Amino acid sequence: MGISVKYDDRDNNKPGWKFAEYELKGVPVRLAIGPRDLENNTIEVARRDNLTKETIPIDKVYELIPKLLDDIQANIIIRL
């Protein structure tokens, strides 16, 4: 799909610290999967451009992410 992914499995930092670190790096989308998400087969998707979060079924992530990245790119261009 041509999408770069970073899996951060470090356990020496809390999630909030990692979220802030990747926001500072400019990562446009954050996917968070916790134990409860695994139980429910869901994933949290956080957008950096408009600071929204949503929970989606894991099996929908492959169709959502490319569309989401296109939408984020369009939002960034509009704001310029």
Side-chain angles (χ1 to χ4, degrees), residues 20-36:
E21 177 185 23
Y22 287 103
E23 188 171 320
L24 288 172
K25 289 181 178 185
V27 174
V29 178
R30 175 177 36 94
L31 304 176
I33 305 171
R36 199 172 305 140

Side-chain angles (χ1 to χ4, degrees), residues 28-69:
V29 178
R30 175 177 36 94
L31 304 176
I33 305 171
R36 199 172 305 140
D37 295 306
L38 289 174
E39 284 178 18
N40 298 327
N41 289 320
T42 60
I43 189 168
E44 180 186 84
V45 179
R47 293 176 57 153
R48 185 169 171 259
D49 65 327
N50 63 11
L51 305 178
T52 60
K53 290 186 222 175
E54 65 178 307
T55 302
I56 63 166
I58 288 177
D59 60 349
K60 301 289 184 192
V61 74
Y62 290 108
E63 68 185 54
L64 175 74
I65 296 302
K67 293 175 188 175
L68 187 64
L69 290 171

Side-chain angles (χ1 to χ4, degrees), residues 1-6 28 62 65-66 69-70:
M1 295 181 88
I3 298 171
S4 177
V5 176
K6 166 73 174 157
Y62 290 108
I65 296 302
L69 290 171
D70 288 340

Side-chain angles (χ1 to χ4, degrees), residues 8 10 13 16-26:
D8 191 342
R10 296 176 295 172
N13 294 319
W17 191 91
K18 291 191 243 183
F19 296 166
E21 177 185 23
Y22 287 103
E23 188 171 320
L24 288 172
K25 289 181 178 185

